[in-house]
Amino acid sequence: MHEYPLVSVLMITFNQEKFIAQAIESVLMQHVNFNYEIVIGEDCSTDQTRDIVLEYQEKNSDSIKLLLQDKNVGMHNNFIDTFYSCRGKYIALLEGDDYWTDPHKLQKQVDFLEDNPDFAICFHKMQIIYEGKPHLNHISNTKQKEITSINNLAFGNYIYTASCIFRNNLHEIPDWFHQCPVGDYPLHLLNAQYGKIKFINEIMGVYRIHEEGTWGNTSMIRQREKWVEMLEFIRDKFDISIRNSLNKNLCNSSIKLAQYYLENNDYDKYNFYLTKIRNNNPSILFSLATRSMIVKYFFKTRSK
């Protein structure tokens, strides 16, 4: 194992025997002029995932470092433990069911960050693949700005985990991160406090959506609900300007949920999310979209 890797590739995995080898191979194929380590947090899988990572570590002991949990600790705790095992100046993220496609990905991102110390994060375009649903496949970030900041990010997440590399500035992850319903977005916000965000307009990886994945087996509505829960949880962890943007993010997500439950005649949940809008940004209630939604609500309830 190299003593001082410039980059730590942080990979967490659980029950990903079908995908983990491709993820590891996509790191090992990288052409770089610096030392790197692959730090894999294996969360006590019940399939063959642990056997696979052990086999790779045996063959690549100079570059692969394993964190083998004694029991299943959950995604957040596994991530945090793996994060603290990373020694690099930069940390690149790659979950065990995604993979990189460009053998020069790490070199391109590290070169940029080395030359631009005022940037904290670098990410790139991704190919989004839906297992079993190829008609949904698409390319991410087709209209992404090249340079953004935490203020832009607070309005909504546009950084795919497998595309992201960041400076290792977080010497300690805050305690509240353990309870957060979503992990990658708060992490990006924490990192973005230290500098600007660079987008490379090249497809250099694949984000895979499948039934065994964290989001793949979760309905779109439940995803939105968890997103609102997460925004409510994290907004007071940042300063006032970021908090205001997170509130707008929360209200926009709540509008979509309120509209969905209105269309499906679930008036309790409609009122639940309308209340969130009213409490967090009452001015949004005067927008054309929400006025129309409120009128439709009264029309539907009185026509029953």
Side-chain angles (χ1 to χ4, degrees):
M1 183 75 67
H2 297 299
E3 187 176 358
Y4 295 109
L6 185 64
V7 175
S8 295
V9 179
L10 191 165
M11 184 182 298
I12 57 172
T13 185
F14 173 72
N15 283 359
Q16 293 172 331
E17 62 180 5
K18 293 190 291 187
F19 311 119
I20 188 65
Q22 188 174 23
I24 297 173
E25 289 286 355
S26 76
V27 182
L28 294 175
M29 77 170 186
Q30 293 294 305
H31 297 301
V32 296
N33 60 12
F34 51 80
N35 296 333
Y36 69 89
E37 64 179 359
I38 309 172
V39 187
I40 303 176
E42 202 291 306
D43 197 15
C44 206
S45 297
T46 58
D47 62 5
Q48 299 302 308
T49 299
R50 178 162 294 197
D51 293 336
I52 295 170
V53 299
L54 282 167
E55 183 178 347
Y56 269 98
Q57 197 275 335
E58 184 178 351
K59 295 177 181 177
N60 303 274
S61 58
D62 60 331
S63 57
I64 295 180
K65 176 181 178 181
L66 294 184
L67 174 65
L68 304 176
Q69 301 288 3
D70 294 329
K71 61 180 180 179
N72 182 260
V73 298
M75 183 172 62
H76 277 15
N77 289 331
N78 189 35
F79 175 86
I80 292 169
D81 290 344
T82 309
F83 175 86
Y84 284 134
S85 296
C86 292
R87 302 172 298 155
K89 178 181 178 181
Y90 304 105
I91 295 179
L93 302 177
L94 181 63
E95 295 186 348
D97 51 357
D98 301 325
Y99 60 98
W100 297 334
T101 55
D102 187 335
H104 303 286
K105 168 204 151 69
L106 282 182
Q107 188 70 59
K108 292 174 184 177
Q109 292 182 289
V110 168
D111 284 348
F112 177 83
L113 290 172
E114 285 283 88
D115 292 340
N116 297 273
D118 53 333
F119 281 77
I121 300 172
C122 180
F123 72 108
H124 55 76
K125 192 177 287 186
M126 294 284 288
Q127 183 177 4
I128 316 302
I129 290 180
Y130 287 75
E131 294 284 322
K133 301 176 182 178
H135 61 286
L136 296 177
N137 294 353
H138 63 279
I139 304 300
S140 75
N141 306 94
T142 55
K143 298 180 180 180
Q144 180 63 48
K145 292 181 179 179
E146 181 182 354
I147 298 174
T148 54
S149 69
I150 188 173
N151 300 91
N152 303 107
L153 190 61
F155 284 108
N157 189 24
Y158 43 80
I159 302 175
Y160 281 83
T161 304
S163 75
C164 181
I165 183 169
F166 56 89
R167 295 184 189 277
N168 193 359
N169 288 319
L170 285 176
H171 302 299
E172 185 174 0
I173 293 179
D175 291 340
W176 56 259
F177 189 86
H178 290 262
Q179 287 79 44
C180 194
V182 178
D184 55 349
Y185 183 55
L187 177 69
H188 299 329
L189 289 169
L190 287 169
N191 286 317
Q193 295 178 116
Y194 293 95
K196 294 182 286 188
I197 304 168
K198 166 70 174 179
F199 170 65
I200 298 178
N201 191 19
E202 298 178 36
I203 302 170
M204 294 194 279
V206 168
Y207 174 72
R208 196 193 319 255
I209 299 175
H210 56 96
E211 291 185 356
E212 294 91 350
T214 304
W215 287 107
N217 59 1
T218 306
S219 72
M220 182 63 70
I221 295 305
R222 182 55 189 142
Q223 289 178 25
R224 290 193 190 281
E225 289 177 335
K226 288 184 69 174
W227 188 259
V228 168
E229 291 172 21
M230 179 269 298
L231 291 170
E232 285 186 308
F233 183 77
I234 70 170
R235 60 185 170 175
D236 64 345
K237 316 301 182 188
F238 297 89
D239 65 35
I240 186 65
S241 62
I242 306 306
R243 195 179 311 154
N244 289 338
S245 297
L246 290 171
N247 266 338
K248 292 178 182 178
N249 188 345
L250 186 156
C251 288
N252 289 336
S253 298
S254 296
I255 287 172
K256 293 175 182 177
L257 286 166
Q259 289 173 328
Y260 170 82
Y261 285 118
L262 176 60
E263 294 299 324
N264 287 272
N265 301 321
D266 189 334
Y267 302 123
D268 288 339
K269 285 201 170 182
Y270 164 82
N271 283 307
F272 176 78
Y273 286 103
L274 198 68
T275 299
K276 289 187 182 297
I277 301 168
R278 182 183 299 112
N279 291 342
N280 292 291
N281 195 345
S283 64
I284 287 184
L285 292 177
F286 293 97
S287 71
L288 181 61
T290 48
R291 283 206 308 267
S292 173
M293 186 173 63
I294 293 169
V295 169
K296 186 180 293 185
Y297 166 73
F298 284 108
F299 177 77
K300 290 185 74 170
T301 54
R302 277 160 175 71
S303 62
K304 291 180 66 176

